[in-house]
Amino acid sequence: MNHAHDTTHDSAPDTTADAGPLRVGIVGCGHISTQYLATLARLPELAVTAAADLDPARAQAVAAAHPGVRALGIADLLAADDVDVVLNLTVPAAHAEVALAAIAAGRDVYGEKPLAATTAEAARVVAAAEAAGVRLGCAPDTVLGSGLQTARRVLDDGLLGAPVAATATMLTPGHERWHPDPDFYYAPGGGPLLDMGPYYVSALVSLLGPVVSAVGAASHTRTSRTIGRGPRAGERVPVTTDTHVTGVLTHASGALSTLVMSFDAVATRGSSIEVHGERGSLVVPDPNHFDGDVLLHPLGGDGWQLVPVSAGYRAGGRGIGLLDLAERTRREPRASGRVGLHVLDVLESLLDSAARGRRVDVAGTCERPDPVPLRELHAAAPASAA
Ligand SMILES: NC(=O)c1ccc[n+]([C@@H]2O[C@H](COP(=O)([O-])OP(=O)(O)OC[C@H]3O[C@@H](n4cnc5c(N)ncnc54)[C@H](O)[C@@H]3O)[C@@H](O)[C@H]2O)c1
């Protein structure tokens, strides 16, 4: 493989932070909080000061394992003097309620995806944050990592010419093989599109800009799934949502993205994402990870070339979106609530189209987030997870 280009950007943040770290209060101390705590521990710009959960024992366990963190009730955390930003790691059904309470308390908020359980709720969260003048960020922040950002730099540098199309492919046999409580993946609000789609559509919006319409089709192969692991192994879970979703998104630029998201397939050799332009084709790494190889095939070239890392946070982990929010004191965070709202709107529109059997216009839009210059973080990244 040849090297396509070899340029780097400086590593300075684009705005200066206030004196002292931004103080973080975590609400929701479940599975994914471990990855955030590992990332935040290596970022001097951020300091976790408090943790809360519906289950107080979970918050106490986080406090016991992390010096400087105290366990609080949820209301006390939102009111605490030493919490500037609430990191909302609760389950999707609670995202809006927790975000709205934090905004009402005057706190900045960064939360896991999706921004809310529905587009209508997500719009209320964005409006409340704007009215209160607080910053609102939303996962995924994998899109700020060196993989996606290097791919984006190829596009922004014009190496593909005008982008024409993209493909986004996520095919697995389903999460019930490894997840001990997979019920929510097979109920409305779950399925492959709402669970994994945020990574892919956030990446497509960063690469190709906002989406104006969606055409979808969807199916499911089985009416129940069998849990593979844990105390409920062998138990059957009803399937009440579609488990194979496919469709075409039309971007405002005119580019067309084809999505295939499935819990009904065994395996695939397709790229997670490819982008095709008039002068080249690009392989984009898995958008559920922060890094990975970017490959460029120029028109008339002699095959796929490895593109050197040229942009984004190196060695990223879940939480770099919060670092970005902390540093952009006078600008919207890149992994913003507005992007999170648009992504959810696109996903819902695709499902709506599949149900109605016709094209659906996407009502809202967002700005394409700013690119991330090459940034070095401080240590090795924790592993990504689904
Ligand atoms: N598990 C993963 O691998 C993974 C990966 C990426 C993103 N996510 C996202 O992270 C979020 C959390 O997922 P998880 O796997 O950590 O779930 P989890 O069930 O392990 O943890 C969620 C925690 O939130 C708490 N909680 C629920 N409602 C609450 C409320 N109203 N107030 C306070 N605490 C509340 C629960 O008690 C629980 O401890 C989800 O949005 C999910 O999509 C998860």
Side-chain angles (χ1 to χ4, degrees):
M1 288 182 181
N2 305 314
H3 283 196
H5 63 223
D6 192 14
T7 49
T8 54
H9 285 173
D10 67 58
S11 61
D14 48 8
T15 57
T16 50
D18 295 330
L22 195 73
R23 298 164 303 177
V24 181
I26 298 178
V27 180
C29 302
H31 181 88
I32 205 63
S33 65
T34 311
Q35 288 189 28
Y36 278 88
L37 284 157
T39 308
L40 299 186
R42 58 192 174 95
L43 301 178
E45 299 87 345
L46 300 162
V48 181
T49 55
D53 196 289
L54 278 183
D55 177 354
R58 291 190 169 190
Q60 282 153 14
V62 166
H66 297 86
V69 182
R70 62 208 167 107
L72 293 174
I74 296 162
D76 289 339
L77 183 145
L78 298 182
D81 287 341
D82 61 350
V83 170
D84 303 311
V85 58
V86 170
L87 177 56
N88 182 2
L89 304 181
T90 59
V91 293
H95 285 176
E97 174 197 330
V98 170
L100 288 169
I103 291 165
R107 305 293 179 243
D108 292 334
V109 181
Y110 182 90
E112 254 303 334
K113 51 83 183 164
L115 181 58
T118 65
T119 303
E121 273 190 356
R124 279 197 287 281
V125 174
V126 169
E130 276 173 21
V134 304
R135 289 174 288 182
L136 178 65
C138 183
D141 52 5
T142 45
V143 72
L144 308 182
S146 58
L148 257 298
Q149 289 293 326
T150 295
R152 173 161 174 177
R153 179 106 195 266
V154 171
L155 276 156
D156 290 354
D157 286 352
L159 299 182
L160 298 190
V164 175
T167 58
T169 308
M170 195 291 302
L171 296 146
T172 78
H175 294 339
E176 76 280 10
R177 292 168 305 129
W178 58 271
H179 199 295
D181 294 302
D183 311 57
F184 72 96
Y185 289 119
Y186 296 103
L193 187 71
L194 292 180
D195 177 48
M196 297 301 289
Y199 297 103
Y200 291 79
V201 174
S202 298
L204 292 171
V205 167
S206 180
L207 293 167
L208 299 174
V211 172
V212 294
S213 68
V215 180
S219 65
H220 59 272
T221 52
R222 285 162 273 172
T223 55
S224 68
R225 299 275 181 145
T226 304
I227 300 177
R229 284 201 191 152
R232 296 170 63 202
E235 190 181 319
R236 295 185 82 78
V237 172
V239 175
T240 53
T241 192
D242 283 321
T243 45
H244 184 94
V245 183
T246 181
V248 178
L249 309 178
T250 301
H251 294 263
S253 68
L256 302 176
S257 288
T258 303
L259 264 74
V260 184
M261 305 275 129
S262 185
F263 289 159
D264 282 332
V266 175
T268 177
R269 292 182 67 184
S271 309
S272 296
I273 295 179
E274 291 181 1
V275 181
H276 303 281
E278 55 189 0
R279 291 209 308 274
S281 289
L282 189 70
V283 170
V284 179
D286 185 339
N288 191 24
H289 294 263
F290 291 87
D291 50 20
D293 287 349
V294 177
L295 303 175
L296 172 64
H297 194 318
L299 182 66
D302 58 356
W304 293 102
Q305 305 172 349
L306 180 66
V307 180
V309 170
S310 65
Y313 290 91
R314 273 190 205 265
R318 293 189 201 280
I320 58 175
L322 188 49
L323 171 64
D324 183 72
L325 179 145
E327 289 179 344
R328 287 167 68 86
T329 48
R330 286 176 295 278
R331 303 183 67 182
E332 188 161 68
R334 292 180 176 89
S336 69
R338 280 173 187 275
V339 172
L341 169 60
H342 180 60
V343 167
L344 185 56
D345 199 359
V346 171
L347 299 173
E348 273 193 1
S349 298
L350 193 61
L351 291 175
D352 190 23
S353 168
R356 294 183 193 208
R358 63 174 179 81
R359 176 189 296 266
V360 168
D361 290 334
V362 177
T365 189
C366 68
E367 297 283 319
R368 191 179 177 219
D370 292 342
V372 183
L374 191 61
R375 284 286 306 272
E376 303 292 342
L377 295 178
H378 310 283
S384 293

